[in-house]
Amino acid sequence: MLAAGNPYGSRTLVVERDEDSSVAYLCSPDGTVHGAVWLANHRPAPAVVDLARINAGLPPLMPRANTLHPDGRRPLGQLSPLWFEEGDGVALYEDDELLAVIPGWADMSRGMPGYARDAVGESPFAWALSEALEGLRPRISNARSYWRWRHGEGSWPSFQQFVMGHLDRVLGPAGRYWDASGERLPTVGITERPPHGERGFTVLSTVGMSCQRMPTVEQWIDKPGAYARIELAVATRDDPKDAALLLVWLSQYPWHSVTWLGHGHTAKWYHEPSTFPLGPQYSGVLMQANPAHMPDMSGFAFGGEIVRWLWLSPVTTQALQTH
């Protein structure tokens, strides 16, 4: 009935229906279901949960007490998804009216299915959307305005110029620039900043990670606004192209893996240790905000939220295991 992927290729919204009911699923590319929310019964509701139907793998029927339409309702109209900026959650519209929301924190195993317009109270299949709208409405509004801006002409060049101007001020003139994203969102570049003034080493920085919030941050941090937008940086006295490979590796990682990166996080090199760009004695990186002896990168914000630069430093296998 509907299958729509998010802009980053990391989640797909699938709506299934039969003659009796309609359900929406939030899935990863391998088919794992992360969230599922009942949308509607198309025939009179049962008094209690129809376990035989669930055991047969059919979309559930909402019990009578938990639906606004106990006698059932007509088939769904035109469906359209609105993805959250982070790509980990989605709002589903029926004929331009909000029908359901599956947020990034939906988790079937923890009894958090998602929110549906026609649901009453809380059930294993859906929670009432009306009771959650106060918290969800700003997220939905932000998503709509973000994608309208992002798909607008000139949005990326203007953002790119914005970041480069900040880096000009804190690091000095730019050297080379590489594209790190290919054809996939998010769009990210890497800017090289050769030694400047008293700084005797090259700094490489991503340009574009902070253009969209990272997924799942609010599941771990009380005030995600201060941690949801990052760029990565690495300092080197050797060939900058080697260090740049670290940024290519991690620059799209949060959105493709539906996770976040923060101070103190580590990442294990995805390939053989012998291919690690900074030498085979290392096997990953440690990320740090504001490490000693590195330039102060503060002072940049986007979308009303501060952007933090995380510096990458190489670490050994032993250090990764103990961290």
Side-chain angles (χ1 to χ4, degrees):
M1 188 174 175
L2 173 73
N6 74 7
Y8 312 115
S10 57
R11 290 285 185 268
T12 301
L13 175 70
V14 178
V15 177
E16 289 186 350
R17 62 155 294 194
D18 61 12
E19 292 179 356
D20 298 325
S21 71
S22 297
V23 179
Y25 302 94
L26 188 62
C27 310
S28 54
D30 66 4
T32 302
V33 175
H34 298 277
V37 65
W38 165 92
L39 302 174
N41 288 350
H42 304 305
R43 68 172 177 83
V48 294
V49 174
D50 186 341
L51 286 176
R53 192 177 161 80
I54 292 170
N55 292 336
L58 297 171
L61 277 166
M62 184 66 86
R64 179 169 288 271
N66 293 107
T67 171
L68 290 175
H69 301 283
D71 295 327
R73 53 150 293 178
R74 60 176 174 74
L76 299 175
Q78 183 71 32
L79 300 178
S80 57
L82 172 64
W83 290 97
F84 289 3
E85 178 181 341
E86 302 90 333
D88 60 347
V90 63
L92 179 63
Y93 286 81
E94 178 192 17
D95 301 328
D96 298 324
E97 186 179 333
L98 187 60
L99 176 66
V101 177
I102 308 180
W105 59 88
D107 185 340
M108 297 304 293
S109 64
R110 290 162 56 200
M112 300 165 67
Y115 305 92
R117 181 188 65 198
D118 293 350
V120 174
E122 293 182 2
S123 80
F125 309 134
W127 291 0
L129 179 60
S130 58
E131 296 172 19
L133 267 180
E134 187 177 344
L136 291 172
R137 197 172 271 129
R139 294 290 294 270
I140 294 168
S141 175
N142 287 347
R144 188 172 299 285
S145 56
Y146 175 78
W147 291 115
R148 188 182 298 127
W149 169 80
R150 190 69 182 83
H151 294 311
E153 192 174 344
S155 62
W156 168 249
S158 66
F159 175 85
Q160 186 183 37
Q161 193 173 4
F162 196 25
V163 184
M164 294 289 274
H166 172 72
L167 294 173
D168 288 345
R169 289 188 292 276
V170 297
L171 295 175
R176 291 170 291 181
Y177 185 92
W178 298 278
D179 173 62
S181 48
E183 298 300 310
R184 300 204 301 172
L185 283 178
T187 304
V188 185
I190 297 169
T191 177
E192 173 192 41
R193 303 287 162 154
H196 178 71
E198 296 182 1
R199 175 170 52 81
F201 51 86
T202 296
V203 171
L204 300 163
S205 170
T206 57
V207 176
M209 291 181 74
S210 62
C211 190
Q212 50 282 303
R213 306 175 99 236
M214 290 184 292
T216 76
V217 179
E218 74 270 341
Q219 297 176 39
W220 302 93
I221 300 281
D222 287 339
K223 295 183 178 176
Y227 299 90
R229 298 188 189 275
I230 65 162
E231 299 286 352
L232 299 177
V234 62
T236 183
R237 297 181 187 274
D238 299 319
D239 187 346
K241 281 186 177 177
D242 292 336
L245 289 173
L246 297 179
L247 301 182
V248 173
W249 164 42
L250 290 173
S251 61
Q252 294 180 311
Y253 179 78
W255 298 273
H256 295 168
S257 298
V258 192
T259 188
W260 68 295
L261 302 175
H263 174 73
H265 288 196
T266 57
K268 186 176 184 293
W269 180 241
Y270 70 100
H271 208 39
E272 293 295 316
S274 60
T275 66
F276 190 78
L278 303 187
Q281 69 272 36
Y282 301 113
S283 61
V285 294
L286 170 67
M287 301 168 215
Q288 294 173 291
N290 307 315
H293 314 302
M294 290 298 160
D296 178 5
M297 307 285 269
S298 62
F300 181 71
F302 181 69
E305 296 173 326
I306 65 162
V307 174
R308 305 168 91 222
W309 262 262
L310 298 178
W311 292 81
L312 307 182
S313 53
V315 289
T316 61
T317 302
Q318 186 179 8
L320 274 179
Q321 291 168 344
T322 57
H323 194 80

